Amino acid sequence: MRGFVRETRLSPEDLVYPIFVTVGEDVRNPVASMPGIFQLSINHAVAEAQRVHDLGIPAVLLFGLPEQKDEAATGAYDPEGIVQLATRAIKEAAPELLVITDVCLCEYTSHGHCGVVEKETGEVLNDVSLELLARTAASQAEAGADIVAPSDMMDGRVAAIRSELDNEGFENTPIMAYAAKYASAFYGPFREAADSAPQFGDRRSYQMDPANAREALVETGLDVEEGADIVMVKPALPYLDVLRRVRETTDLPVAAYNVSGEYAMVKAAAQNGWIDEQRAILEALTGIKRAGADIIITYHAPDVARWLSG
Ligand code: PBG
């Protein structure tokens, strides 16, 4: 009876699994703050993508750790960059698995900011950054990315990326926009995983104030107008009210990102025997879906897929 009247059903098909791809051969670096998560060289990333596909998870989200970082984030839009190479390799091994690529500069800039920084002032330059972000997205689409996902939060980036994709012949490549992305303490472990912590200052000039919910609707509206195909709320659990409101204001698919800090908290408590890991994770993800997410990006994806099918 209990299952018969259940309103919300979690399925492996709801999930997206993030993968951190690094240069080098045969690398599998554990991320200390994210037990179970590794920085993977391309051969391991392909194996992981294959495993994820076999579990019924429809998509992976790729983040890259380049060979070198510089002020112009060259590695982000290099046709032979780490994400471009990984995308080609994964699409070749598992053509049906969707490859979503992160479009941001923070993993590729020497200072770790999501855009180009003016030297004298340390200010992030919005419009100069747009051009590089658009080039990044186009190079990823060229490499075979099925969806591009701008996470930088520069103003006007969805429009800039849409127009570049269209010009380069990728009219059919959708954009999953991080529409409501908060300046959150819960990204801490990710910055270790992606080696993308800002070297000075913080991201508050381009990410949102956690106190603001209406602003999320404004941001989402802009992204939709600019051509977003999927909108995202991030992090997930502290922002379920925002997720619900975004769900109610758009008919586009809505994604929620269950971020690194949310993952780390559950893992740490479970390792201490303080909570039941499986129940806690299934409850949290069911809550995210109940709040309105069509798509959940989560580091728990393979575990969850296994539990749901076993
Ligand atoms: C890059 C980016 C971040 C995350 C996804 N893309 C970090 C940040 O904004 O500092 C965080 C994801 C996570 O914490 O799991 N801009």
Side-chain angles (χ1 to χ4, degrees), residues 227-273:
D229 300 282
I230 301 170
V231 289
M232 192 199 300
V233 175
K234 171 186 176 191
L237 293 174
Y239 300 94
L240 293 183
D241 59 322
V242 174
L243 180 57
R244 161 61 55 179
R245 289 174 71 175
V246 167
R247 163 75 296 151
E248 283 168 358
T249 52
T250 177
D251 290 323
L252 289 177
V254 176
Y257 199 142
N258 177 229
V259 301
S260 59
E262 300 174 63
Y263 176 85
M265 285 194 299
V266 177
K267 289 303 241 191
Q271 283 185 349
N272 276 293

